[in-house]
Amino acid sequence: MNHRLVQWIWHVKGSLALPPGQTSDEVFARLDPLFRETGTTRQRDGSRLSFRKRDQAAQDRMAVFDGGELRVERDAEVPVLRYHLTSRALLFCFLAPLLFLGVARLTVMVGEYNKPTPAEIAAKEKREEAKAKLPMSPIDKFLGAPAPEKPKKKDPKSKDNDDKPRPTAAYVFAGIFAMLYLVGRVGQARLVRRLFESRLSAL
């Protein structure tokens, strides 16, 4: 499988047009406070800046990203900031629904495997009916004990009588993580773009 076809899952790419004449030094000087957070290491090489984050603090506005690269390029004499960021958190949120769907499928398979056969169900019902037909002892009759009732047949659709393992919880968690991924993938891409724009436009 081509690695580029799946990079979009946890990679965030984008570009920002810069004012004409703005240099790389000016751009990175404005963005520098973002890369001075706890747990962040950075390396500058001319018009390129790379960074890595480890054990980043929750108050870090770029905490969701683990690393990336920013470059200042000239496109038809107009400077452009291009960025490429990676996030293991997004990758985890993408894979988590697949994991929970697998758990749900396994739960269904286990339930089907442990499901009693029609012959076993019929044999159990016969045993219960035989117990109900047993004659009452003279003592029970003397004491006025009620005769044993005939066991009721269980409704196969009844939830109270169905003790099979249910995949509902796994489906719920799969849905939660899928929603987290969609919101995070779109939201974080917009947030980081706005963050860069606000820093670059600051006086």
Side-chain angles (χ1 to χ4, degrees):
M1 180 182 294
N2 191 338
H3 188 252
R4 294 182 180 180
L5 296 179
V6 296
Q7 273 191 346
W8 60 269
I9 296 173
W10 73 97
H11 289 234
V12 174
K13 298 180 181 181
S15 61
L16 289 173
L18 302 172
Q22 193 169 47
T23 65
S24 301
D25 292 337
E26 293 173 338
V27 171
F28 291 132
R30 291 173 180 265
L31 297 177
D32 188 64
L34 298 176
F35 305 104
R36 290 187 177 275
E37 298 287 346
T38 303
T40 303
T41 58
R42 67 194 186 284
Q43 183 176 358
R44 171 82 184 278
D45 182 12
S47 60
R48 174 178 171 272
L49 183 146
S50 59
F51 72 95
R52 291 288 180 273
K53 289 181 177 291
R54 184 176 182 182
D55 299 328
Q56 50 267 46
Q59 61 268 25
D60 186 347
R61 300 180 68 181
M62 293 181 62
V64 72
F65 299 106
D66 303 292
E69 179 180 290
L70 294 84
R71 302 189 313 275
V72 176
E73 300 177 351
R74 300 215 169 256
D75 187 4
E77 299 303 322
V78 177
V80 176
L81 173 67
R82 301 189 188 279
Y83 54 90
H84 180 178
L85 313 176
T86 59
S87 171
R88 287 178 295 181
L90 289 178
L91 179 60
F92 172 78
C93 288
F94 180 85
L95 295 177
L98 302 179
L99 173 63
F100 282 109
L101 289 176
V103 171
R105 179 57 183 166
L106 181 61
T107 302
V108 172
M109 293 175 62
V110 170
E112 292 295 329
Y113 179 79
N114 293 329
K115 183 178 180 181
T117 62
E120 292 174 341
I121 296 176
K124 183 178 180 181
E125 290 178 352
K126 287 182 179 179
R127 289 194 298 269
E128 292 178 349
E129 290 178 358
K131 289 180 181 179
K133 292 179 180 178
L134 291 175
M136 294 181 62
S137 67
I139 297 177
D140 291 336
K141 289 181 179 180
F142 177 77
L143 295 176
E149 296 181 358
K150 185 177 180 180
K152 298 180 180 179
K153 292 185 177 181
K154 294 183 179 180
D155 183 0
K157 296 182 179 180
S158 175
K159 293 183 179 179
D160 296 334
N161 297 327
D162 189 2
D163 56 356
K164 294 189 303 182
R166 298 182 176 278
T168 306
Y171 286 132
V172 170
F173 280 109
I176 291 174
F177 279 101
M179 182 60 65
L180 285 175
Y181 175 77
L182 292 176
V183 173
R185 182 64 181 79
V186 176
Q188 289 299 326
R190 292 181 178 178
L191 287 175
V192 75
R193 181 181 180 87
R194 291 176 184 174
L195 181 60
F196 289 160
E197 287 177 340
S198 64
R199 293 299 309 175
L200 292 172
S201 62
L203 297 178

